[in-house]
Amino acid sequence: MCLRTLMVAGLVMTGLSTAAPATAAGQEVGGSGDTYFLSDSFSAKANIEFSYGSATDDVFVGDWDGNGTDTLALRRGATFYIKNSNAGGNPDQVVTYGRPGDVVLVGDWDGNGTDTFAVRRGSEYHVKNSLTGGPADAKAVYGRAGDAILVGDWDGDGEDTFAVRRGSEYHVKNSISAGRSDQVAVYGRANDDVYVGDFDGDGDDSFTVRRGATYYVANVIRPGSADRTIVYGRTTDTTLVGDWNGDGTDTLGLRRASTVQHIGGTVSGAQEAYDAQMVGLINIERARHGLPPLAYWPPLRGGALSHSSWMARTDSFQHATSRTLWDDAAGAGCPSGYAENIFWSSYSSKPELAMQRYMASPGHRANILNPELGFVATGTVVVGGELYNTQRFGYTCR
């Protein structure tokens, strides 16, 4: 008897229109990728994994709702798409502040427990104390226009302020004001990557330097050896720092580009009859739940087939990148959002079995029965006796 294995996975991303990201620096995370691996402890293992936004988005970390937990915000131009949980899906808040070319910083500037934005123009800082548009609540000049800038609560008073970095020397300011620094410290090497966080939960922020995939964590702002050394992730990963579980201690996270890539060309092993039946089964399930049928939209099938073929060719089972999904949806005339379900079987099963598996999984069932969706196509390939099915959904297609 052969081993018969079935797997399903679902993804939905809606409501964020694509735009070319602005160039940002300061506290912007940097790098690229739409997949995040967060660790609640100083260990080499992530315990939170999710995808959000596009691989080319500017990304920021902050406690946007004041609940003690840090989450992500995406920036496109001067618009920020804020998420209050470490998960994919729609943003919880959308805010426009500053200009598309501004350098953006994140901090709790007034000590109320909620992080907001500031923009930097040269050595001038325009600080906002709420997640709203409009004029800045405070302005300050500090340092030189070419300084690298860091943000942290250096004295534990609950308010974030600035530090400028010049090589391995840090000029720390405990208030948002002009004038001389309140503290000067040396740590690490001039070419180290540097991160700020409260790594021991004592209320004061300090520095961590990264060399390759090794992090040298200092719990106080002073010269000397690290208090903790940890190896985490890959040398090609981009680092995030945040309090992911609200325990008062900042730990590490990683931003990583997915390995899934869109492929073009002729798709071998395509199953047209299977896909036609699958669309019919989707609409039967919707009718059972009092929902209107989804319109079959042939342009969506190209991306679905391409992804199923990629999974078969690479012996993989994972979603396409958010960037690929956005590009496929936009190219198919469905720019307002997408949803995706994927299915794999180690034998050539019938579409009824795949549909049973989809409907038994809450996430996939939610996509199939989403009343806001209007269009669908599926792409199925069979290679070496194994079947891969990708369902692609659109909201508005034209």
Side-chain angles (χ1 to χ4, degrees):
M1 177 181 292
C2 66
L3 177 64
R4 298 186 173 188
T5 305
L6 305 171
M7 296 178 68
V8 292
L11 174 71
V12 60
M13 176 68 76
T14 63
L16 299 183
S17 60
T18 56
T23 300
Q27 293 299 101
E28 190 259 320
V29 168
S32 63
D34 60 358
T35 305
Y36 300 87
F37 301 84
L38 311 181
S39 177
D40 284 336
S41 63
F42 282 100
S43 67
K45 183 176 178 59
N47 61 293
I48 304 171
E49 299 181 17
F50 64 98
S51 294
Y52 182 49
S54 163
T56 56
D57 284 327
D58 295 336
V59 177
F60 300 85
V61 174
D63 181 1
W64 315 112
D65 58 0
N67 71 347
T69 301
D70 287 325
T71 53
L72 304 185
L74 310 178
R75 181 194 186 195
R76 296 169 182 169
T79 302
F80 298 84
Y81 299 85
I82 297 168
K83 191 74 178 170
N84 289 330
S85 61
N86 285 312
N90 292 330
D92 296 295
Q93 186 174 358
V94 179
V95 175
T96 299
Y97 183 56
R99 307 166 186 166
D102 284 331
V103 173
V104 176
L105 306 169
V106 172
D108 181 1
W109 314 113
D110 59 359
N112 72 347
T114 301
D115 287 325
T116 53
F117 300 114
V119 298
R120 177 189 183 187
R121 296 166 186 162
S123 59
E124 187 175 75
Y125 300 86
H126 300 254
V127 176
K128 192 73 177 172
N129 289 328
S130 61
L131 292 172
T132 58
D137 296 298
K139 296 181 182 179
V141 176
Y142 184 54
R144 308 166 186 165
D147 284 331
I149 193 74
L150 301 169
V151 173
D153 180 2
W154 315 114
D155 59 0
D157 68 351
E159 297 182 7
D160 287 324
T161 53
F162 304 125
V164 297
R165 179 191 183 191
R166 297 167 186 163
S168 59
E169 191 174 76
Y170 301 85
H171 299 256
V172 176
K173 190 74 174 171
N174 290 329
S175 61
I176 298 178
S177 61
R180 298 175 63 86
S181 62
D182 296 295
Q183 182 179 358
V184 179
V186 176
Y187 183 57
R189 305 169 185 166
N191 61 347
D192 284 331
D193 294 332
V194 178
Y195 305 92
V196 173
D198 181 0
F199 301 111
D200 59 357
D202 68 349
D204 297 348
D205 286 333
S206 54
F207 303 122
T208 286
V209 300
R210 176 188 179 185
R211 297 165 190 163
T214 303
Y215 298 82
Y216 300 85
V217 181
N219 291 331
V220 294
I221 298 176
R222 54 155 173 74
S225 301
D227 296 294
R228 185 197 305 259
T229 302
I230 179 175
V231 177
Y232 185 50
R234 308 168 183 167
T235 58
T236 54
D237 288 328
T238 300
T239 302
L240 300 80
V241 172
D243 181 358
W244 313 120
N245 63 355
D247 67 353
T249 300
D250 289 323
T251 50
L252 302 178
L254 304 173
R255 181 185 190 186
R256 183 178 296 169
S258 171
T259 58
V260 179
Q261 300 295 329
H262 179 80
I263 61 171
T266 302
V267 175
S268 61
Q271 306 293 305
E272 293 187 11
Y274 186 104
D275 288 330
Q277 293 179 60
M278 181 65 77
V279 171
L281 291 170
I282 289 171
N283 283 329
I284 288 173
E285 291 294 341
R286 289 177 66 87
R288 287 175 179 167
H289 293 82
L291 296 170
L294 299 178
Y296 173 60
W297 192 253
L300 284 172
R301 188 167 185 258
L305 275 174
S306 181
H307 186 63
S308 292
S309 181
W310 181 90
M311 290 192 291
R313 181 173 60 87
T314 59
D315 193 26
S316 302
F317 184 71
Q318 61 187 104
H319 287 289
T321 64
S322 293
R323 170 58 67 187
T324 295
L325 287 164
W326 278 117
D327 289 346
D328 284 352
C334 310
S336 59
Y338 62 81
E340 178 182 83
N341 288 339
I342 57 176
F343 170 87
W344 168 76
S345 172
S346 62
Y347 61 99
S348 299
S349 61
K350 295 181 179 180
E352 290 83 359
L353 179 58
M355 182 57 64
Q356 289 175 11
R357 300 292 293 187
Y358 279 136
M359 293 302 292
S361 170
H364 310 91
R365 178 187 178 93
N367 283 343
I368 291 168
L369 300 181
N370 187 338
E372 297 181 3
L373 291 168
F375 300 86
V376 69
T378 77
T380 306
V381 300
V382 175
V383 177
E386 297 188 350
L387 182 143
Y388 297 82
N389 171 258
T390 301
Q391 298 179 343
R392 292 279 179 88
F393 302 88
Y395 286 78
T396 302
C397 301
R398 56 184 182 274

